[in-house]
Structure formats: C-alpha cells, structure tokens
Amino acid sequence: MAKTIKMGAEAVLYLEGGYLVKERISKRYRIKEIDEKIRRLRTSLEASLLIAARRHGINTPAVFDIDKKGCKIKMEFIDGQRVKEYFYTSSKKEVEAIAEMIGAAIGRMHSAGIVHGDLTTSNMILRDGKVFFIDFGLGFFSKRIEDYGTDLKLLKEALQSTHFEILKTCWDNILKGYRKEYKEADKVIEKVKEIEARARYAQKQE
C-alpha cells in the first residue's frame, strides 16, 4: 500500500514497496495533450539529471524505473535528516564541514553542466555523513555561467531566509568547497555579485 510523503503543486511523492515514487500531477487548466507532453518531458529530464549527477559523483537517489507515460520516477528513498534541521542544532565546526561538502557537490554539478534549479537546505538530506541532493524538478542542463550564478544566488537567498544567523559561515564554506571542484568558480561567484547588483538596481528604479 502506497504511503504519501508529500503533496506538492507539481508532483506527489509516495512510498511504494520500499521505493520512493514521484508522480507528476495533471494540470486541468492545460489542454490534455499539452499537459501530458509537458509532464512526460519534465519526468524524463528530472530522471536524466538524477542519473547524470550520480554519474559525476554527486549523491542523489538511485533511479530504478522511469514511467514516461505515467509520468513517474521510481527511486531510492533517502532516509535521513534534512540539512535545514541539521544546521539548526549543529556547532559552527559541523556547519563549516557540511557547508564545504555542499559547495563541493555543487561545483561537481556545474562542472557536469547540471543546474539544480532549487538549491535549498530542504532539498539536501544528510545520511551517514554524506549530503544527498533531491528534487531536481526545476533543474536543467546548461553550460552558461549565468545559469550557474543564478543557481548559487538562489541558494544564498534560501540561506538568508532560513539560516540568517549562520549565513556568513555557510556561504564562505560553500564557496570554499565550490572553488575546489569547479575551475570556473570565480567567474560564477562574480556572476552572483552581478546578479545581486542588477536586483538592487531594479529595486531602486521601482
């Protein structure tokens, strides 16, 4: 019997036979044929991102089956603690170590041309001392520095809203790990600053 884990706007997650199944939900406001095409494409893309990330040394759930017609991905269930909760109760030294680990993994993602699209500590699970990245539903493949900069900028914004007290410790160590794994890291970090400057300028013009 299936056990629902999460019901989101785009998909439902449930446990079935020890596996985690992500099933994309039909949108009634879309034309049926278009809706089915979008859901199939997004299901296929997310599965491809999970597989590619894992191949490049990033901890992600193993994909066991892809049902494109049913818009389902059957994958490994990562049973652990969300990094979001871990950061709330950890020492500075522990936060530094995990943040650097996160940055290194993102560096490997970007080296492989993978943009996660929703980098938050809610989409990172700590299990057996390793950080697993989940929910690539907004992800895509890209070679653009701008896209990597946006990916990191979204993470920084998430840290500002969720972990403001330890923001500097988190961010500094994420960038430390990122620089170790991605040779174009400095270009991306400069792009993050540029995106932030554009956002500030836009706010001033409003």
Side-chain angles (χ1 to χ4, degrees), residues 146-161:
E146 176 88 17
D147 293 331
Y148 303 156
T150 301
D151 217 19
L152 278 186
K153 174 65 169 58
L154 290 173
L155 174 58
K156 189 176 182 181
E157 288 177 352
L159 293 171
Q160 285 173 326
S161 63

Side-chain angles (χ1 to χ4, degrees), residues 33-83:
E33 291 76 15
I34 294 174
D35 177 69
E36 289 177 353
K37 183 178 180 180
I38 290 171
R39 287 189 297 127
R40 283 197 301 269
L41 285 171
R42 289 183 179 172
T43 298
S44 179
L45 176 58
E46 183 168 8
S48 296
L49 289 164
L50 284 164
I51 293 166
R54 194 174 176 86
R55 192 183 303 130
H56 285 87
I58 299 121
N59 296 314
T60 62
V63 174
F64 295 106
D65 187 49
I66 307 161
D67 178 359
K68 293 180 184 178
K69 187 175 181 181
C71 302
K72 300 177 187 178
I73 304 172
K74 184 201 289 188
M75 66 188 98
E76 176 187 9
F77 174 57
I78 307 299
D79 191 9
Q81 182 182 23
R82 291 195 305 175
V83 171

Side-chain angles (χ1 to χ4, degrees), residues 5-193:
I5 299 293
K6 181 182 178 183
M7 178 72 77
E10 295 295 324
V12 59
L13 296 172
Y14 55 89
L15 283 175
E16 188 174 70
Y19 298 102
L20 180 69
V21 179
K22 181 171 185 176
E23 181 176 351
R24 288 195 170 273
I25 300 168
S26 177
K27 300 289 186 180
R28 293 184 179 180
Y29 59 81
R30 290 194 293 234
I31 296 169
K32 184 180 178 182
E33 291 76 15
I34 294 174
D35 177 69
E36 289 177 353
K37 183 178 180 180
I38 290 171
R39 287 189 297 127
R40 283 197 301 269
L41 285 171
R42 289 183 179 172
T43 298
S44 179
L45 176 58
E46 183 168 8
S48 296
L49 289 164
L50 284 164
I51 293 166
R54 194 174 176 86
R55 192 183 303 130
H56 285 87
I58 299 121
N59 296 314
T60 62
V63 174
F64 295 106
D65 187 49
I66 307 161
D67 178 359
K68 293 180 184 178
K69 187 175 181 181
C71 302
K72 300 177 187 178
I73 304 172
K74 184 201 289 188
M75 66 188 98
E76 176 187 9
F77 174 57
I78 307 299
D79 191 9
Q81 182 182 23
R82 291 195 305 175
V83 171
K84 180 179 179 180
E85 280 78 35
Y86 179 82
F87 276 174
Y88 286 146
T89 59
S90 300
S91 67
K92 183 180 179 181
K93 190 174 181 180
E94 289 169 331
V95 170
E96 287 173 347
I98 295 301
E100 186 175 341
M101 200 181 294
I102 288 167
I106 297 170
R108 288 195 293 276
M109 272 189 219
H110 291 173
S111 294
I114 297 168
V115 176
H116 184 279
D118 194 15
L119 287 171
T120 71
T121 50
S122 292
N123 286 332
M124 302 170 194
I125 297 176
L126 192 61
R127 187 184 76 181
D128 300 329
K130 298 176 181 178
V131 178
F132 285 77
F133 289 75
I134 62 170
D135 197 355
F136 283 71
L138 297 176
F140 53 95
F141 291 103
S142 174
K143 293 292 185 183
R144 297 176 68 238
I145 294 294
E146 176 88 17
D147 293 331
Y148 303 156
T150 301
D151 217 19
L152 278 186
K153 174 65 169 58
L154 290 173
L155 174 58
K156 189 176 182 181
E157 288 177 352
L159 293 171
Q160 285 173 326
S161 63
T162 313
H163 307 287
F164 183 76
E165 299 83 358
I166 56 170
L167 172 61
K168 189 176 188 310
T169 298
C170 286
W171 187 243
D172 287 351
N173 284 279
I174 284 169
L175 295 187
K176 181 181 177 182
Y178 188 71
R179 284 189 171 102
K180 286 181 179 178
E181 292 291 337
Y182 186 38
K183 64 182 181 180
E184 302 286 354
D186 287 337
K187 290 182 181 178
V188 178
I189 293 165
E190 280 303 311
K191 182 60 68 173
V192 172
K193 294 176 183 176

